[in-house]
Amino acid sequence: MGAVRLYAAVAAGGFRRYATYRTATAAGVFTNTVFGLILVYTYLALWDERPQLGGYDQAQAVTFVWLGQALYATLAIQGGGFETEFMERVRTGDVAVDLYRPADLQLWWLANDLGRALFQLLGRGVVPFAFGALVFPTALPADPALWAAFFVAVLLAMVVSFAIRYLVALSGFWLLDGTGALQALMVTGVFCSGMTLPLNAVPGPLGEVVRVLPWAAQLQMPADVLMGEAHWAHAFAFQAAWAVALLAAGRAVQAAATRRVVVQGG
């Protein structure tokens, strides 16, 4: 119970930390709304030419856009979560303090990132999503059970997102400059998650590949659960499998990285 209270306090601290950036949050809401509008009209034109692209009708395509804008910062799809701070702490040697804490390093940063993600969902994601649902025809369900399944899928997506970024952040133990790794994270995040185009609409072998990668657990699975395109049990199993695999990989890499830690600057 003491450990639960500890990580709950870390998550609450992450939530409060991001809640202090009110101006940045307001700017993010505006930015996501504008990008949502651009994408919606682009998708409407595309779906006029290709009806039922990826198995979606226009209302589902519009819904996918606004879900993407709601989850963009929540899941740190192009970065912007804990990973930059973590890599900087490795570079400066401050990670030594983290390793001496009476807490698990991975769970500490997971709790911190979940607090950040929850704030971004409420503070930056709700308004653009509500705006899109009010202004455009969407495919939102009336069944409360689907909404409950969707929120579970979002929670699992948060864990998968963290696990991906934690592996990237751990590269800082070997790379003194993590800029390249973070840029690779940005590129793969925006394409492989479906932010550019729903993964259902990606054709050929490339589509088959991206739909089984862990990034599909971030946006595609929650969207399909909400719109009834995927059964919740299948989505949860896919997301949970990737979450477990990636967290286990992160723990193995963490063990290798901290076995012989050299603290920069002493």
Side-chain angles (χ1 to χ4, degrees):
M1 291 302 295
V4 171
R5 288 196 296 270
L6 169 63
Y7 296 121
V10 173
F15 186 98
R16 289 194 300 270
R17 176 183 177 185
Y18 280 84
T20 61
Y21 301 115
R22 296 183 181 88
T23 302
T25 300
V29 169
F30 176 78
T31 301
N32 286 130
T33 304
V34 170
F35 272 97
L37 288 170
I38 295 170
L39 282 174
V40 161
Y41 285 111
T42 303
Y43 275 32
L44 289 175
L46 177 59
W47 258 259
D48 277 337
E49 294 295 323
R50 296 285 303 275
Q52 297 298 319
L53 178 63
Y56 286 169
D57 58 27
Q58 278 195 341
Q60 289 175 312
V62 169
T63 303
F64 190 92
V65 168
W66 292 112
L67 280 175
Q69 295 308 306
L71 297 179
Y72 174 78
T74 301
L75 302 178
I77 287 175
Q78 283 192 279
F82 76 97
E83 58 277 2
T84 302
E85 179 183 358
F86 183 93
M87 295 179 86
E88 179 64 16
R89 291 182 71 81
V90 172
R91 190 188 68 81
T92 61
D94 290 340
V95 72
V97 177
D98 301 336
L99 293 171
Y100 272 109
R101 288 194 185 110
D104 182 85
L105 183 68
Q106 187 184 50
L107 290 179
W108 176 282
W109 286 103
L110 173 59
N112 179 276
D113 197 61
L114 288 177
R116 176 207 61 81
L118 181 59
F119 171 77
Q120 295 288 23
L121 178 63
L122 298 175
R124 184 168 169 176
V126 170
V127 173
F129 184 75
F131 170 83
L134 290 171
V135 175
F136 297 93
T138 53
L140 299 179
D143 186 358
L146 277 180
W147 282 101
F150 166 71
F151 287 120
V152 173
V154 170
L155 179 60
L156 288 169
M158 291 177 183
V159 178
V160 173
S161 171
F162 165 81
I164 293 171
R165 289 178 288 119
Y166 191 67
L167 282 169
V168 173
L170 287 171
S171 69
F173 280 99
W174 289 274
L175 305 173
L176 292 181
D177 186 353
T179 302
L182 292 175
Q183 289 179 341
L185 176 67
M186 292 174 61
V187 173
T188 54
V190 73
F191 178 76
C192 294
S193 67
M195 281 296 299
T196 304
L197 188 69
L199 300 183
N200 294 343
V202 179
L206 178 60
E208 296 295 328
V209 170
V210 295
R211 283 190 287 272
V212 297
L213 293 177
W215 289 274
Q218 292 181 292
L219 176 56
Q220 190 68 54
M221 285 292 110
D224 282 345
V225 166
L226 184 63
M227 294 186 289
E229 292 293 318
H231 193 275
W232 61 266
H234 167 75
F236 293 175
F238 179 83
Q239 292 177 295
W242 272 118
V244 170
L246 292 171
L247 288 173
R251 189 161 291 276
V253 174
Q254 173 186 303
T258 57
R259 191 171 294 122
R260 296 180 179 179
V261 176
V262 177
V263 177
Q264 300 298 318

